[in-house]
Amino acid sequence: MNQRPPKYSRAKAAFHQVKSKHRLYLFYDLPFFPINREQVEKYVSRCVGNGIGCIIPCLPKDLKPSAEVLEHTRDMYEMLIGAAGKHNMKIGFHLEPVIEQSFYMSEAAAPVAHTRTKALTRREYFCDPGEKLYLHLKSETPMSVMAYDDEHTDMIDLRPYIRDGIISYTVPEGNWTVEEYDCTSVPQYGEGPNVTCNILSYDHSLAFLTELFDFMGNILQSALGRTVTEFFVSDICFHGPNRRNWSEDFNRIFEERFGFDPAPFYPALFHFIGERSPHIKSLFMECRAELLRSGLLAALKAFSNRHDLHLMTAVAEPKLPACSWLNGDALADSVYSPCAVQEKAYLYGTNSTHLAASAADNYGSKYVPCELFRDYNKLTTNIVYKDAMNAFGHGANLLLAHWGCQTITGASKRRPSDRFRMDVLGQEGKYTFPAFVSRVQTLLRGGSRVNDIAMLYPIYALHDKVYLYEAPSDTDFEYPDTPFSCNYMTVLNTISTYAGQDITILHPEMVNSICSTKDGVFYLKNPFQTQRFRIIILPSSDMVSLKNIRMIKKFYDEGGKVIATGTLPKYAFEYHIDDDQPDPDDFMGLIGYGTPNDREVRDIIHHIFGDEALNKHIIRECFYNSNEKGGEAYYITPHRTAADGTSLTDCTTINNVLQSFDVPLDMYMPEMPRFECIGGFNNSHSEFIRLGLADFVPGGGMISRIHKQRGELNIYFFANTTDRNYSDIAYLRGIHFLDCWDPHTGRTRRLHATYVRYHGEIYTRMHLHLPVEHAIFLISRTNTKKAERIAARFDLLQDVTNEINMMERSKQ
């Protein structure tokens, strides 16, 4: 008789009788505003009847901020709370930009008017050599006053020449400009006043939240933590002019964090100031990113804890590669609440799901929310299911869906087209889309994600590419170009959708604080879970944490496998201004510049990847190095340009390198269709549309999968969003006795499996059948005695190592 542990029985019961906490969350996309009570009550009743777990109101997109909007919003929440209370329905408070802006335009903001956004402003004064300056400064307390020579990148700190707000100074020979840097709320180009909160200040952010909710009245206040249980905050980003959000306390906080006064180096934010530019800019941008986390994000978390709310914060742009200028640090922004966003078009935003799932691993969250279908240019029943499955297969486990005011159409025979009704998104009766989502979320919520590959998040390399600027904006949403060397998202998508393996992104700070390495295994441990990695990837980056690279060296020396793509690191993030000095051993061709930390980084890179990888006279697609402990390192050079304009590493090369390692990975689907996104997911929406990815994705989609472990219970989720049925052999590492659970129908059945050897370990081999637009779970039951009998026959099991390797290479 098979042993069925309590976790298995509880999981199966929950799969058939879904709890309300596992149900789909739905955005109430208001058809008009202000809304009336009859419309609200009708919508709430309809959601209750279709198994929705929570409603989050969403104001019309074209709504202009005004004091009246804030008052009507308060009335709307009172109606929603009243209607939801009758049905035990949960409500989420949605803090949208239009609500924040309307608050600052109303009289309610009077007590906290001083908390508005402040931005860094640069004022230039052009000078002639020998000129005797007598300039009145615009600010009594400037952040910095510098003379900058753009011909020789020389700088002079002019603070000693300031008396009573006036600079008295004789200009030396050269092409000098005097630059004054101020932190101000006064716009430069005649725009209206800033009507958003100072997100870099914890006190200002908390004061704003407190006053806003006070204005919303007693009904909302009394419902917090009871009927209103969710707090969703959208569009987290730097929203000052040209994204130049700044803080009056910046210089003090910077000096406390990094040990030197930043005032003499402000020109680095706008100009190249010589070899030290990457170091200085990276420190500036890291400090600003920390201020966002310790400011608005920390205030949101404190407010949520005070009122027993579940916080979800979504960054503004879902493609995310060039996040530093816009979001500061997109991965660390999820420290209090990871949340992905898939918006505008099918598959646009898949990147953010990777980031949110990795943030949950880094910071220990069992929830990975994903906002789906926001502003989709087309929404069909096919897309509804396919993008939900893609989100689940990349780590999401709490969907928040939009579609309330859209017409959903489709030509699928399995799901006939119709005007929107929640109960027709599926088959008749209980086989609906909300029921499908609820079953999936029941099994994917919590547990540890299992995979063998981790990638170091190249945030410091993104920081050092940022320049600020001042210019009138002719668009509602400014976005920078992604640096050419930024390839981490393309590599991640290649491993996921082409090589067919899962991957976790590790934040450098978390590597230094909660990661360790032993005997060629890299460990991520937090109170929530433990993950083990056998392969570490360094994406293209010229700057890394020295502490990170020391740990990767230890990992390699103990037998670990390392892959680097694109630019190899040459700078250390750890930097002090007194460390600048020539590099006597400049084997990386850096014009003789480097700090002691930089040189240690270069020595470690040399040690891991070998002489040839660093020899600029040798041109090769792939460089290999190894050691006597079994450590292996590949450096893969870029040789093409991706669709988003970044350097591209060939998909087949990455897959071949993964297969060359003697590492038994968690699962294999050798005949799976392979999706080459080649940077398409990283494009801005306009380019995404121009490339035709919104309407034509090669193969229609992808195979996605995720493996979660809850104690002795192994849960595998597979989804097929391609336009072809998938039916072939799959291999799972370990001895498993499998049941197949169908989240579309709720049916379960036993699955036949056999057992083979691969790379010296036992794998479970089964025939995996995935129809078009379909997902399944494989649930591993426990049978200790039978597993022991199979393990005892290890030498008699078929060895399929060569067979799988040949199948993998035949797909190249």
Side-chain angles (χ1 to χ4, degrees), residues 477-492:
F477 192 86
E478 293 183 84
Y479 197 84
D481 293 329
T482 302
F484 174 75
S485 61
C486 175
N487 73 347
Y488 77 100
M489 269 299 176
T490 301
V491 172
L492 184 150

Side-chain angles (χ1 to χ4, degrees), residues 170-316:
T170 300
V171 180
E173 291 295 319
N175 192 21
W176 293 93
T177 303
V178 173
E179 300 181 353
E180 176 186 354
Y181 296 88
D182 300 324
C183 182
T184 177
S185 59
V186 179
Q188 285 290 338
Y189 295 103
E191 305 99 326
N194 294 319
V195 287
T196 50
C197 172
N198 180 5
I199 60 176
L200 303 189
S201 166
Y202 174 87
D203 292 337
H204 289 180
S205 298
L206 191 58
F208 155 67
L209 292 170
T210 301
E211 291 296 327
L212 172 64
F213 276 77
D214 283 347
F215 175 82
M216 288 294 169
N218 293 331
I219 293 178
L220 177 60
Q221 293 276 4
S222 61
L224 295 179
R226 301 171 63 185
T227 303
V228 180
T229 61
E230 312 298 313
F231 188 13
F232 184 78
V233 185
S234 59
D235 297 301
I236 300 292
C237 65
F238 298 123
H239 48 222
N242 310 132
R243 312 289 182 192
R244 298 191 319 275
N245 291 69
W246 215 253
S247 167
E248 293 173 325
D249 296 324
F250 186 93
N251 289 5
R252 174 184 60 80
I253 294 170
F254 183 103
E255 187 165 4
E256 291 173 357
R257 172 72 167 82
F258 299 116
F260 64 94
D261 180 10
F265 304 99
Y266 268 70
L269 293 168
F270 292 81
H271 313 288
F272 177 71
I273 64 166
E275 293 89 346
R276 66 177 63 170
S277 275
H279 283 302
I280 297 297
K281 284 195 296 178
S282 189
L283 298 183
F284 267 111
M285 292 301 105
E286 176 62 17
C287 185
R288 188 169 75 143
E290 287 182 359
L291 285 173
L292 176 58
R293 297 196 295 276
S294 63
L296 173 66
L297 294 172
L300 287 169
K301 184 60 176 178
F303 185 88
S304 300
N305 290 344
R306 182 183 303 170
H307 296 286
D308 197 22
L309 298 172
H310 173 222
L311 176 66
M312 295 173 283
T313 56
V315 297

